[in-house]
Amino acid sequence: MSGNIQLLSDTLAGAKAEGRSALIAYLPAGFPTVDGGIEAIKAVLESGADVVEVGLPHSDPVLDGPVIQTADDIALRGGVRIADVMRTVREAHRATGKPILVMTYWNPIDRYGVERFTAELAEAGGAGCILPDLPVQESALWREHAEKHGLATIFVVAPSSKDERLAEITAAGSGFVYAASLMGVTGTRESVGAQAQDLVRRTRATGTGLPVCVGLGVSNRAQAAEVAGFADGVIVGSAFVKRMLDAPDEAAGLAAVRELAGDLAKGVRGQA
């Protein structure tokens, strides 16, 4: 069973052909429940997101801010397992036909088994993985199995990344490059800033041709429009999670993420 890396590439190319950035949403599996999380992911995909990153909840999410940490804690206390993450990927892809990624720290994959994880993700219809804490120089085993199963390997670059390092990372990656707009943990920001634009420029200068998608800090239509002006994709996570955390019940949470996805979809189309 082959994964959906081609669907991911085609989706990003399709957005570019329309003269816009892709909208990539993030939500953790198992939040607020496994079933509730699946419904939320389907809601954002049906309301304008092109791609979804399904977060694999982790007990020590060092790169995530307090909003996503809170959601991860709720999911873990609810007993979420890797099997639930795979089910989330499967049902979201089956319902929408859109590319579904998993965003995870390396430790859970290492414990689960790389071959088992990649085979199950491909079987579920997944498009690949974002691996924020896996160093490129230690990624050969993962990349071998990901390639075998038709999965993208998406690495994260930061403003602190030197040009030589950017070249190494983009040469090893596939699908797209995740450009962290600023130093620090995930969360909404007042401004996404010039650092992100410079990082996109430097990443593209490596010449691999991989799309460069920007995350960390985007929370509203105006910011999405700003980032869409220079990036191939706009990644939004904490803003979706916060809408669900702030909602009085699950139905209100679904309505809130639908509204946000629709708003952001206008932003990536330049409708600030």
Side-chain angles (χ1 to χ4, degrees):
M1 182 77 183
S2 184
N4 272 313
I5 186 173
Q6 192 60 51
L7 176 62
L8 176 65
S9 298
D10 291 348
T11 298
L12 293 169
K16 186 175 184 178
E18 291 175 17
R20 65 173 180 91
S21 282
L23 174 59
I24 303 173
Y26 166 95
L27 280 166
F31 166 72
T33 61
V34 175
D35 288 343
I38 291 167
E39 290 307 311
I41 288 165
K42 285 166 28 179
V44 300
L45 286 166
E46 289 162 0
S47 303
D50 299 290
V51 181
V52 158
E53 304 169 9
V54 176
L56 194 159
H58 194 273
S59 55
D60 186 25
V62 291
L63 298 176
D64 291 307
V67 170
I68 290 174
Q69 284 184 20
T70 300
D72 275 9
D73 187 52
I74 290 167
L76 290 167
R77 282 191 280 115
V80 71
R81 296 287 180 265
I82 287 179
D84 299 312
V85 177
M86 298 299 178
R87 182 187 151 213
T88 299
V89 171
R90 179 180 292 104
E91 295 199 14
H93 174 64
R94 185 184 292 156
T96 65
K98 293 187 177 182
I100 313 294
L101 301 162
V102 170
M103 187 164 191
T104 178
Y105 294 96
W106 177 246
N107 184 254
I109 295 177
D110 194 34
R111 288 205 313 266
Y112 197 72
V114 177
E115 169 59 21
R116 181 184 176 196
F117 189 94
T118 51
E120 289 184 8
L121 182 56
E123 188 277 327
C129 260
I130 301 163
L131 301 157
D133 67 339
L134 178 63
V136 170
Q137 60 271 25
E138 296 173 20
S139 68
L141 178 67
W142 164 266
R143 286 188 284 131
E144 175 193 337
H145 287 288
E147 191 172 334
K148 180 170 82 171
H149 289 292
L151 299 169
T153 297
I154 298 159
F155 291 113
V156 179
V157 297
S160 59
S161 303
K162 301 285 189 272
D163 289 350
E164 184 181 333
R165 179 80 175 141
L166 288 177
E168 184 183 6
I169 291 169
T170 55
S174 55
F176 64 86
V177 180
Y178 186 125
S181 64
L182 60 155
M183 303 304 292
V185 297
T186 58
T188 60
R189 302 290 197 284
E190 291 300 313
S191 160
V192 180
Q195 270 190 323
Q197 190 163 358
D198 182 61
L199 179 57
V200 170
R201 180 191 60 76
R202 292 195 298 119
T203 304
R204 284 187 177 143
T206 61
T208 63
L210 280 179
V212 184
C213 303
V214 171
L216 270 66
V218 177
S219 62
N220 58 47
R221 189 199 298 193
Q223 289 174 334
E226 178 193 352
V227 174
F230 58 82
D232 299 296
V234 180
I235 303 169
V236 182
S238 295
F240 281 114
V241 177
K242 190 171 189 310
R243 290 284 182 109
M244 292 185 66
L245 284 171
D246 290 348
D249 55 49
E250 204 168 296
L254 289 176
V257 295
R258 282 185 186 280
E259 180 187 33
L260 179 59
D263 212 34
L264 293 166
K266 291 175 183 171
V268 299
R269 287 164 172 78
Q271 301 167 28

